[in-house]
RNA sequence: AGAGGGGUGUCCGAGUGGUUUAAGGAGCACGCUUGGAAAGCGUGUGUAGGUCUCAAGCUUACCGAGGGUUCGAAUCCCUUCCCCUCUACCA
């Protein structure tokens, strides 16, 4: 959530930023926000000065009662009773104005960093770098959805039977490869100084709001019927919300957490021919890294996180590229996002395997996540990234590493899998 | 899940309708004291909003959360979340 003092002080910047994110009528919205804020303040002031009067009167009555001047107290009491109704009205008006204001404020996305390219769609993203080269495969190379059947390692039909589309069952070496990747990614993160967290995978509404999934993406999450809890779409939600309503000691910063969880996404309305097989799932495993920083360090941290993710891809020997997302393609809460895409050898296309973002104070403002510097409390910066999401990594490994003697497991994974080939 | 007991500041803890302006203690910060430290003494010690050019000051709200009763609520009532004990169930 953007902060009002910022919007007020930097109206032009705010409008330009919102426009880069393709918010319609940005200028009108900013003007409306400021007007509503003025109104809120006026109403609040009115209510508070009435309250002040009534507080003073109550105190007086108390004093009179105690000194035994019953009659005077009674008179005063009748007088004050009349105030009550109007105070309630004023308080309600102030509250309503505040709600109207936050309801609008909450719908606004974060402002993009100055380096974010203009643009609307994925085609406008900027390629920052490309690593490795396209693997040379035999003419009869198969896409992963055929390979998983050939080697019987991931079963969509069984998943359909017990749950539904997009919930595959991993079997044998398929399951072991999953476990190997999870452990490898966690170990690498721990080596890089991250602290492992195993959070709940159901979260409440406050947490969904804290990181920005609610109300923006409500339709994308699964909800439990009785309790109204949401299945997490990413470990970012529980791990970042650990710090909701927290004033972190400056000495504890930066915070670097990592966690592995399954992730659940309804992906309503986003199905199509290009999302076959593992390309898009309702449930998948992901290792997420989360960092919390003082504002001045957050962009250096973002680069560090990007390098960490790239290191993983390099160790796995995957041809990849890094994109700087354009204003139209980046997420609601993000100020700057790098996407890492791995090459899928048989589909001949890039697959997004990680997204690393700096949210600056956007999430922290919703979370009330602060630190104290020189006695003043300020909002922290939050960042997160996938390191990494499994299914598309698996797809790329399967496709890129296929050969006559089966699928070759990347060397770094062999200590984790206990086998060198899937065949 | 049922019955009972709880939730107060950074922490412990007092507080069952009116100088509560949340006692007291611990911790922390600063000062005094000291050769230095400890002890001791003194002072300070939350968050958010409003007012204000800034600061100070003033002011409003906050005792798990939300609502209510009252001139006045940490205190009474309702709803809800969480914790503890016992019982039941259970990996």
């Amino acid at each position: 959530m953007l902060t009002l003092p910022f919007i007020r002080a930097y109206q032009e910047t705010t409008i330009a930023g919102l426009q880069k994110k393709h918010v319609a009528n940005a200028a009108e919205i900013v003007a409306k926000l400021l007007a509503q804020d003025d109104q809120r303040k006026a109403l609040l002031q009115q209510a508070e000065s009435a309250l002040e009067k009534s507080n003073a009167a109550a105190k007086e009555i108390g004093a009179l009662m105690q000194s035994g001047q019953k009659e005077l107290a009674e008179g005063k009491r009748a007088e004050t009773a009349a105030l009550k109704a109007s105070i309630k009205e004023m308080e309600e008006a102030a509250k309503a104005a505040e709600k109207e204001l936050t309801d609008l404020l909450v719908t606004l996305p974060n402002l993009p960093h100055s380096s974010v390219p203009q643009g609307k769609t994925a085609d406008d993203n900027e390629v920052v770098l490309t690593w490795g080269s396209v693997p040379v495969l035999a003419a009869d190379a198969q896409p992963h959805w055929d390979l998983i059947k050939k080697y019987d390692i991931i079963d969509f039909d069984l998943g359909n039977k017990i749950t539904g589309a997009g919930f595959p069952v991993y079997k044998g070496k398929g399951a072991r490869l999953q476990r190997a990747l999870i452990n490898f990614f966690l170990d690498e993160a721990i080596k890089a100084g991250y602290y492992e967290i195993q959070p709940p995978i159901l979260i409440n509404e406050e947490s969904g709001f804290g990181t920005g999934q609610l109300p923006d993406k409500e339709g994308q999450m699964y909800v439990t019927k009785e309790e109204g809890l949401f299945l997490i779409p990413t470990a970012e939600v529980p791990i970042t919300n650990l710090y909701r309503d927290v004033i972190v000691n400056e000495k504890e910063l930066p915070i670097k957490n990592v966690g592995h969880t399954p992730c659940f996404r309804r992906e309503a309305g986003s199905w199509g021919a290009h999302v076959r097989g593992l390309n898009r799932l309702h449930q998948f495993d992901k290792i997420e890294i989360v960092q919390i920083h003082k504002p001045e360090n957050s962009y250096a941290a973002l680069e560090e996180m990007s390098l960490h993710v790239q290191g993983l891809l390099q160790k796995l020997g995957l041809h990849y590229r890094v994109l700087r997302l354009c204003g139209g393609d980046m997420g609601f809460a993000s100020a700057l996002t790098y996407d890492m895409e791995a090459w899928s050898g048989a589909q001949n296309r890039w697959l997004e395997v990680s997204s690393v973002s700096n949210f600056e104070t956007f999430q922290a403002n919703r979370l009330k996540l602060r630190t104290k510097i020189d006695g003043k409390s300020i909002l922290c910066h939050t960042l997160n990234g996938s390191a990494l999401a499994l299914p598309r990594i698996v797809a790329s490994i399967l496709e890129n590493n296929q050969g006559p003697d089966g699928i070759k497991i990347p060397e770094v994974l062999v200590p984790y899998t206990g086998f060198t080939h899937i065949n």
Side-chain angles (χ1 to χ4, degrees), chain A residues 338-360:
Chain A
Y338 292 122
D339 269 10
M340 284 69 180
E341 297 185 328
W343 182 255
S344 160
Q347 298 181 70
N348 282 309
R349 53 184 284 237
W350 295 104
L351 295 178
E352 181 193 332
V353 293
S354 175
S355 195
V356 183
S357 301
N358 187 353
F359 302 93
E360 297 190 2

Side-chain angles (χ1 to χ4, degrees), chain A residues 18-94:
Chain A
L18 291 176
Q19 283 166 344
K20 211 181 201 181
K21 282 233 178 156
H22 302 281
V23 172
N25 307 321
E28 287 85 340
I29 290 173
V30 166
K32 192 174 168 194
L33 273 174
L34 294 178
Q36 281 180 343
D37 190 39
D38 289 337
Q39 204 202 354
R40 179 196 126 248
K41 282 184 193 171
L43 289 168
L44 191 67
Q45 227 170 307
Q46 210 181 20
E48 283 189 355
S49 73
L51 261 176
E52 191 180 342
K53 259 185 234 165
S54 126
N55 284 348
K59 209 170 274 183
E60 237 178 285
I61 292 169
L64 290 173
M65 295 283 261
Q66 228 150 47
S67 62
Q69 298 170 271
K70 279 252 160 78
E71 270 161 47
L72 273 173
E74 285 300 329
K76 201 83 189 165
R77 184 201 297 222
E79 212 175 288
T80 319
L83 255 178
K84 265 199 79 176
S86 69
I87 287 179
K88 199 166 179 186
E89 252 172 58
M90 284 187 263
E91 277 185 320
E92 267 162 23

Side-chain angles (χ1 to χ4, degrees), chain A residues 374-391:
Chain A
D374 298 328
K376 268 187 92 172
S377 86
I378 58 157
L379 293 169
C380 295
H381 281 197
T382 62
L383 306 95
N384 67 51
S386 356
L388 284 160
L390 297 217

Side-chain angles (χ1 to χ4, degrees), chain A residues 1 199-218 221 227-246 332-333 362-369 382 384:
Chain A
M1 188 158 67
I201 58 178
L202 271 73
I203 49 119
N204 58 28
E205 199 178 331
E206 289 76 18
S207 296
F209 177 82
T211 33
Q213 280 72 24
L214 293 174
D216 185 50
K217 283 194 178 155
E218 174 149 23
M221 289 191 283
E227 297 84 3
L229 297 172
F230 297 89
L231 276 76
I232 57 170
T234 159
E236 159 197 349
V237 181
I239 293 180
T240 312
N241 270 281
L242 297 175
Y243 303 91
R244 172 150 51 82
D245 291 318
V246 170
F332 177 76
F362 192 83
Q363 291 182 330
N365 188 30
R366 292 175 161 231
L367 293 161
K368 299 197 182 71
L369 161 53
T382 62
N384 67 51

Side-chain angles (χ1 to χ4, degrees), chain A residues 175-205:
Chain A
R176 291 166 68 188
L177 176 59
Q178 291 282 112
R179 193 152 51 85
L181 283 166
I182 291 163
N183 284 331
F184 170 65
F185 291 147
L186 282 173
D187 285 351
E188 289 294 310
I190 289 164
K191 270 189 231 164
Y194 288 88
Y195 179 72
E196 186 174 350
I197 300 279
Q198 203 173 94
I201 58 178
L202 271 73
I203 49 119
N204 58 28
E205 199 178 331

Side-chain angles (χ1 to χ4, degrees), chain A residues 140-421:
Chain A
D140 62 349
Q142 293 177 291
H144 70 269
W145 49 84
D146 290 333
L147 293 167
I148 60 174
K149 279 190 182 162
K150 179 173 171 187
Y151 298 113
D152 195 23
I153 50 172
I154 302 176
D155 196 323
F156 278 88
D157 295 333
L158 272 180
N160 283 342
K161 181 169 93 177
I162 60 169
T163 306
F167 291 93
V169 175
Y170 301 85
K171 305 192 294 188
K173 285 187 172 177
R176 291 166 68 188
L177 176 59
Q178 291 282 112
R179 193 152 51 85
L181 283 166
I182 291 163
N183 284 331
F184 170 65
F185 291 147
L186 282 173
D187 285 351
E188 289 294 310
I190 289 164
K191 270 189 231 164
Y194 288 88
Y195 179 72
E196 186 174 350
I197 300 279
Q198 203 173 94
I201 58 178
L202 271 73
I203 49 119
N204 58 28
E205 199 178 331
E206 289 76 18
S207 296
F209 177 82
T211 33
Q213 280 72 24
L214 293 174
D216 185 50
K217 283 194 178 155
E218 174 149 23
Q220 292 299 335
M221 289 191 283
Y222 291 94
V223 197
T224 69
K225 203 172 183 177
E226 299 298 328
E227 297 84 3
L229 297 172
F230 297 89
L231 276 76
I232 57 170
T234 159
E236 159 197 349
V237 181
I239 293 180
T240 312
N241 270 281
L242 297 175
Y243 303 91
R244 172 150 51 82
D245 291 318
V246 170
I247 300 179
V248 183
N249 191 320
E250 189 186 350
K251 285 179 228 154
E252 287 167 35
L253 295 174
I255 288 165
K256 295 173 69 174
N257 286 338
V258 62
H260 155 250
T261 66
C263 302
F264 302 88
R265 299 186 183 180
R266 294 186 61 224
E267 302 290 2
S270 64
W271 236 262
H274 62 297
V275 293
R276 280 189 76 175
L278 296 169
N279 291 355
R280 180 156 295 168
L281 299 174
H282 285 309
Q283 176 180 335
F284 61 96
D285 286 88
K286 181 158 64 66
I287 285 74
E288 183 80 3
I289 49 178
V290 171
Q291 294 203 19
I292 297 169
H293 277 269
K294 290 193 235 178
E296 63 265 32
N297 299 332
S298 69
Y299 279 96
L302 182 69
E303 296 305 316
E304 177 209 303
M305 290 167 78
S306 162
L307 288 176
H308 176 74
V309 172
Q310 292 182 52
L312 299 175
L313 292 165
Q314 290 173 13
K315 284 176 187 169
L316 293 173
L318 293 174
H319 176 42
Y320 72 85
R321 64 178 188 175
V322 178
L323 301 177
R324 191 195 302 266
L325 296 194
C326 74
D329 201 33
M330 56 195 294
F332 177 76
S334 173
L336 179 58
T337 296
Y338 292 122
D339 269 10
M340 284 69 180
E341 297 185 328
W343 182 255
S344 160
Q347 298 181 70
N348 282 309
R349 53 184 284 237
W350 295 104
L351 295 178
E352 181 193 332
V353 293
S354 175
S355 195
V356 183
S357 301
N358 187 353
F359 302 93
E360 297 190 2
T361 61
F362 192 83
Q363 291 182 330
N365 188 30
R366 292 175 161 231
L367 293 161
K368 299 197 182 71
L369 161 53
R370 291 156 293 179
T371 187
K372 251 190 190 176
I373 292 175
D374 298 328
K376 268 187 92 172
S377 86
I378 58 157
L379 293 169
C380 295
H381 281 197
T382 62
L383 306 95
N384 67 51
S386 356
L388 284 160
L390 297 217
R392 295 174 190 163
I393 291 290
V394 170
S396 294
I397 290 175
L398 295 179
E399 293 182 14
N400 297 2
N401 295 5
Q402 59 184 301
D405 48 354
I407 290 152
K408 190 176 183 312
I409 300 297
E411 259 170 50
V412 288
L413 287 183
V414 172
Y416 291 92
T417 54
F419 52 84
T420 60
H421 287 78

